[in-house]
Amino acid sequence: MSLKDHLLAHVALNGPMSLAEYMTECLLHPEFGYYTTRNPLGAQGDFITAPEISQMFGELVGLSLAQSWMDQGKPEKFVLAELGPGRGTLLFDILRATRSVPGFHAAAQIVLFEASPALRDIQRQTLTEYEPLWIDSVADLPEAPLFLVANEFFDALPVRQFMRDGDGWRERLIGAEGESLTYGLGPHAAQVALNDRIVDTEDGDLIELCAAAIPILTVVAGRIASHGGAALIVDYGDWHSLGDTFQALQAHQRVDPLETPGQADLTAHVDFEPLALAARAAGCAHTLLTPQGVFLERLGITARAQALAAPLGGSELETLVAAHRRLTHPEKMGNLFKVLGLYPSYAAPPPGLES
Ligand code: SAH
């Protein structure tokens, strides 16, 4: 039995499912799920992330977090956490870059939130010298100052899609026709969560809602508000969801999200506005949403690239120049990716995100 057979049987039994149910099954099904069964990252995989493009990304994120730790009086014990650590590359670079920050490593307890057993194994190998702790729920984050990064984590969380229809909404659902999965629309209904979007949408507009992000963000913001810390949330997306951003990537190519369930990475752009609202509701301050290119330039990526370039020539130099450009250029990841910083209202915002 394949995941597609399983989903077709599910639809036959229960009727059409929401996009969120479909994403959850495709990404996290215990036997067939995309993340549960494989390492999707890197040139041989399906997609590549900023820390996999260049060590500079993790180094600068590490220095921003370490500076926030110093600005907040160097708490003697704190949690250094990552949501969705992939191959562990980002945290590995963060820890390498902060080795020279006196007291930082000694005070840090490394905590990882990761759903995939396959990726946990790889993280264990990459980060073994730092003795990380894996948690199954974000609610298990220790009650301590929290310095956290999440890169391309929130885009993997399941979204529901709603199409504006007069004074209400119709949910976009996934059903079946013969042996194929197909899109359809649910019945017209009011949606309390979308009441405030009636004013700025028109008939036929599509809105995405990521309910799963809110409890996670609320815990993270709550820890930072009560114990201190900072969070850097990096993802592609924008402020205020509008339009269909549901997509599937396989071997670095966009594919039909319904064609090969469980074998392609499924994502949706992150709507940062509800994350910021949840942070505020938890008593935590947040920065302006800042383009990744601006964030990295403010942290000195150009100087870092020049230092790394000095001894290089030929193809190594070309790779470095291309990586710098890819991470920062507005037509590459520089503008598509955004950074939202969370911090306690009494403290300075994380470096790179000052308004
Ligand atoms: N941050 C890494 C990897 C990003 S890929 C990087 O920048 O390279 C997304 C990561 O989030 C993977 O590690 C995936 O297994 C994890 N993930 C996806 N959905 C998750 C969920 N619901 N709970 C916990 N981890 C999840």
Side-chain angles (χ1 to χ4, degrees):
M1 195 172 188
S2 69
L3 184 58
K4 193 167 185 177
D5 295 334
H6 165 79
L7 292 167
L8 287 167
H10 182 88
V11 170
L13 200 63
N14 305 296
M17 67 185 111
S18 71
L19 230 67
E21 285 175 88
Y22 179 74
M23 280 182 87
T24 303
E25 290 290 301
C26 289
L27 295 178
L28 298 177
H29 185 282
E31 196 180 340
F32 302 114
Y34 177 76
Y35 280 119
T36 18
T37 54
R38 74 188 75 206
N39 162 26
L41 286 136
Q44 312 300 318
D46 294 311
F47 63 95
I48 188 154
T49 58
E52 301 290 338
I53 291 170
S54 168
Q55 67 184 75
M56 293 185 288
F57 183 81
E59 289 170 352
L60 295 170
V61 164
L63 294 178
S64 178
L65 290 176
Q67 185 63 51
S68 290
W69 174 74
M70 290 189 276
D71 290 347
Q72 291 179 37
K74 304 186 182 177
E76 270 174 33
K77 274 199 182 315
F78 72 93
V79 169
L80 180 61
E82 183 172 358
L83 307 180
R87 293 179 352 116
T89 309
L90 173 53
L91 206 48
F92 185 80
D93 288 334
I94 290 173
L95 287 160
R96 188 173 42 72
T98 52
R99 203 167 281 161
S100 56
V101 178
F104 189 71
H105 280 206
Q109 179 189 10
I110 311 299
V111 177
L112 308 178
F113 178 56
E114 172 57 67
S116 160
L119 288 173
R120 278 191 186 200
D121 282 345
I122 297 175
Q123 291 154 18
R124 191 169 290 116
Q125 288 163 29
T126 314
L127 297 167
T128 180
E129 65 183 293
Y130 300 106
E131 298 178 359
L133 168 76
W134 282 267
I135 51 175
D136 295 324
S137 161
V138 170
D140 295 335
L141 277 169
E143 294 283 350
L146 172 65
F147 293 82
L148 175 142
V149 64
N151 184 59
E152 290 210 42
F153 166 75
F154 284 96
D155 67 30
L157 298 183
V159 295
R160 291 170 72 186
Q161 291 185 329
F162 295 91
M163 189 169 283
R164 175 78 188 272
D165 179 17
D167 58 355
W169 303 86
R170 297 179 69 184
E171 181 161 10
R172 199 166 178 225
L173 299 173
I174 294 171
E177 261 178 46
E179 293 301 297
S180 301
L181 294 161
T182 54
Y183 291 111
L185 285 174
H188 179 280
Q191 291 293 338
V192 178
L194 292 174
N195 276 352
D196 62 335
R197 299 304 306 269
I198 292 285
V199 285
D200 70 345
T201 53
E202 297 173 4
D203 255 6
D205 279 351
L206 200 127
I207 302 281
E208 293 172 338
L209 274 187
C210 183
I214 304 305
I216 295 175
L217 205 285
T218 300
V219 171
V220 169
R223 292 289 187 282
I224 293 171
S226 4
H227 303 285
L232 300 173
I233 298 167
V234 190
D235 230 305
Y236 50 142
D238 231 314
W239 193 262
H240 231 51
S241 149
L242 185 62
D244 174 17
T245 71
F246 181 47
Q247 69 166 37
L249 272 187
Q250 207 169 1
H252 304 269
Q253 304 291 325
R254 282 185 77 149
V255 295
D256 180 344
L258 304 190
E259 201 55 50
T260 50
Q263 303 192 37
D265 184 39
L266 300 181
T267 58
H269 283 202
V270 173
D271 180 0
F272 284 92
E273 186 183 30
L275 302 186
L277 288 176
R280 250 182 272 166
C284 188
H286 65 83
T287 66
L288 291 179
L289 190 59
T290 305
Q292 173 173 296
V294 172
F295 171 69
L296 294 175
E297 289 297 353
R298 284 178 181 165
L299 293 173
I301 192 170
T302 299
R304 182 64 185 134
Q306 281 163 351
L308 287 171
L312 301 181
S315 67
E316 284 179 334
L317 182 59
E318 276 171 33
T319 305
L320 177 75
V321 170
H324 176 219
R325 190 179 144 77
R326 193 163 172 193
L327 291 178
T328 58
H329 195 279
E331 282 166 17
K332 304 282 182 184
M333 296 169 79
N335 226 1
L336 179 63
F337 279 73
K338 310 281 195 311
V339 191
L340 183 72
L342 311 185
Y343 61 104
S345 47
Y346 54 81
L353 299 174
E354 306 88 345
S355 46

